[in-house]
Amino acid sequence: MGGAFLAAAVLARVGARIGLPTIPLFILAGILLGPHTPGFVLVSDPHEMEMLSALGLVLLLFYLGLEFHMDDLKAGGRRMALSGGTYLALNVGAGLGFGFALGWGTSEALVLAGVLGISSSAIVTKVLVDTGRLGNAETKPILGIIVVEDIFLALYLAALQPILSGADSLGSAVLDGGKAFAFLLLLALAARFGTRIVSRLFDTRDDELLVISFLGAAVFMAGVSEWFGVADAIGAFMVGLMLGSTTSGPRILKLVHPLRDAFGAMFFFAFGLSIDPGDLPTVLWPVLAAVAVTLVMNVLAGLGAARIYGFGPGPAANISTTLLARGEFALILATMAAVAGLDERLSPFIAGYVLVLAVLGPLAAGRSGWLARILPGGRAAERAAEPRESTPVG
């Protein structure tokens, strides 16, 4: 574990000198020191890092919930649902069509719909932090889309599980989906109406007690969420949403910061451990085609969200590039597909696709101005922002 932290830190320091984001470097550290790459192997079994990785994801989404205030959720509910629905319709629809076009099978197409359709909440959170855009106006629709994706994710997984397991009981699938939706509804009601009670429970001047309390609440609720068939990270997100509106919210935000950075790095490192570079050449062309489809769909979804919120080409480019990365959810689907005995090409395809977008996403987000220039109205907005030369008088 110490070697993993140090390896991630060394590569991140090297990358910072040449302007690279930390996320792909943490992933690269995992690839280089994992069991699938020749040379020194630091971690022979990726499952050894599983708990650290899960904790990193929980803390990343908990932090995201702290930043996403209930007032923002209440004020932009309709637009959030519309922009999130648009994003899912474009990307999940394109993913399903792409899956059928590959001809690997119906179950495989349903898996690829989720792989291509849903962004990485962890990477999106890290990109927003690294680029310093948490306070930007377009961050609200970005976070709104993430919330809509997480709700969709719970229902999608509940519906997909019986299909992959070969179950023919529609009632069982409906029951699982209903259980997940009911739990999400309960969490939303608690976040909406339980702020005063939660504020009293967490009210303490002792930083040590506060850290233990919020960390225990976030991790415990993540475990309960998973038991109800909801992604564990959404439970942590909802806890952050509740605590962010309490009197202790600003202190919690400050105290969780170093924990988020440290264990977030382990999440991306563990992701790198799971990638076998030797499998990637066999699915190179499908991966590149899928990346191209995702790029196009994200630009269209970014333009749609910007129009819903009345933003210009700059925010539209930020939305498109920030939501580009795919990550933890795609890996969950890869594991489910392998257990279900689906097409063997599916796992290396998902690994290659996620790796390319995990690297490309943060890089594109940091250079979103290039995309803004070629979007409709981009050139005009750029000229309007340029300082005008003063005209001599007389």
Side-chain angles (χ1 to χ4, degrees), residues 74-390:
K74 288 183 286 186
R78 183 174 175 273
R79 290 189 297 181
M80 181 185 77
L82 187 57
S83 57
T86 301
Y87 187 90
L88 285 172
L90 287 169
N91 284 274
V92 174
L96 184 62
F98 180 82
F100 281 121
L102 283 179
W104 291 354
T106 301
S107 295
E108 286 79 0
L110 291 171
V111 169
L112 288 173
V115 171
L116 271 67
I118 299 180
S119 308
S120 166
S121 300
I123 297 180
V124 168
T125 306
K126 192 69 167 58
V127 166
L128 289 172
V129 173
D130 287 351
T131 55
R133 293 177 185 162
L134 282 172
N136 287 15
E138 70 271 12
T139 298
K140 291 181 181 179
I142 290 172
L143 298 182
I145 289 171
I146 290 295
V147 171
V148 173
E149 283 185 327
D150 283 333
I151 294 171
F152 170 80
L153 168 59
L155 302 176
Y156 172 77
L157 282 177
L160 186 64
Q161 184 61 51
I163 296 174
L164 295 185
S165 62
D168 54 0
S169 172
L170 180 62
S172 176
V174 171
L175 180 62
D176 289 341
K179 184 174 72 170
F181 183 77
F183 181 68
L184 284 172
L185 183 61
L186 182 63
L187 287 178
L189 290 173
R192 174 67 180 86
F193 299 107
T195 303
R196 289 186 179 181
I197 297 174
V198 172
S199 184
R200 290 176 184 174
L201 291 173
F202 284 83
D203 186 21
T204 176
R205 295 181 179 180
D206 191 321
D207 284 349
E208 180 185 11
L209 292 177
L210 186 58
V211 169
I212 294 171
S213 298
F214 74 68
L215 188 60
V219 176
F220 178 77
M221 192 54 67
V224 173
S225 298
E226 194 172 61
W227 187 79
F228 273 96
V230 179
D232 52 3
I234 190 63
F237 174 86
M238 297 302 290
V239 172
L241 194 65
M242 283 185 271
L243 294 182
S245 302
T246 66
T247 53
S248 302
R251 284 174 59 211
I252 295 174
L253 193 66
K254 182 179 179 181
L255 290 169
V256 78
H257 203 281
L259 293 170
R260 179 210 68 190
D261 287 345
F263 291 100
M266 288 303 96
F267 169 78
F268 297 111
F269 180 87
F271 171 40
L273 292 175
S274 66
I275 296 175
D276 185 353
D279 291 336
L280 302 182
T282 60
V283 290
L284 177 62
W285 293 113
V287 165
L288 293 179
V291 169
V293 169
T294 304
L295 285 169
V296 173
M297 291 300 106
N298 267 257
V299 170
L300 293 176
L303 287 170
R307 183 163 187 175
I308 291 169
Y309 280 83
F311 295 148
N318 287 344
I319 295 171
S320 301
T321 54
T322 302
L323 291 167
L324 185 60
R326 303 294 187 262
E328 64 279 0
F329 174 58
L331 295 180
I332 292 170
L333 285 176
T335 303
M336 290 173 63
V339 172
L342 300 188
D343 196 298
E344 293 180 355
R345 293 168 291 184
L346 205 53
S347 290
F349 167 85
I350 293 173
Y353 171 76
V354 170
L355 179 60
V356 170
L357 287 182
V359 174
L360 183 61
L363 290 173
R367 295 159 179 80
S368 59
W370 297 354
L371 175 61
R373 294 190 190 101
I374 62 174
L375 292 179
R379 292 291 184 184
E382 186 180 23
R383 286 194 296 269
E386 292 176 355
R388 298 182 180 181
E389 295 182 5
S390 57

Side-chain angles (χ1 to χ4, degrees), residues 40-88:
F40 176 72
V41 176
L42 178 67
V43 183
S44 57
D45 183 4
H47 291 292
E48 292 177 2
M49 304 291 291
E50 195 168 7
M51 185 58 70
L52 279 179
S53 173
L55 185 56
L57 179 59
V58 163
L59 288 171
L60 282 166
L61 269 292
F62 174 70
Y63 184 86
L64 186 64
L66 288 170
E67 287 284 355
F68 195 80
H69 298 296
M70 280 299 299
D71 291 339
D72 298 332
L73 189 61
K74 288 183 286 186
R78 183 174 175 273
R79 290 189 297 181
M80 181 185 77
L82 187 57
S83 57
T86 301
Y87 187 90
L88 285 172

Side-chain angles (χ1 to χ4, degrees), residues 16-34:
R17 293 182 179 273
I18 54 177
L20 288 178
T22 57
I23 294 169
L25 294 169
F26 293 152
I27 295 172
L28 179 61
I31 294 174
L32 294 177
L33 298 176

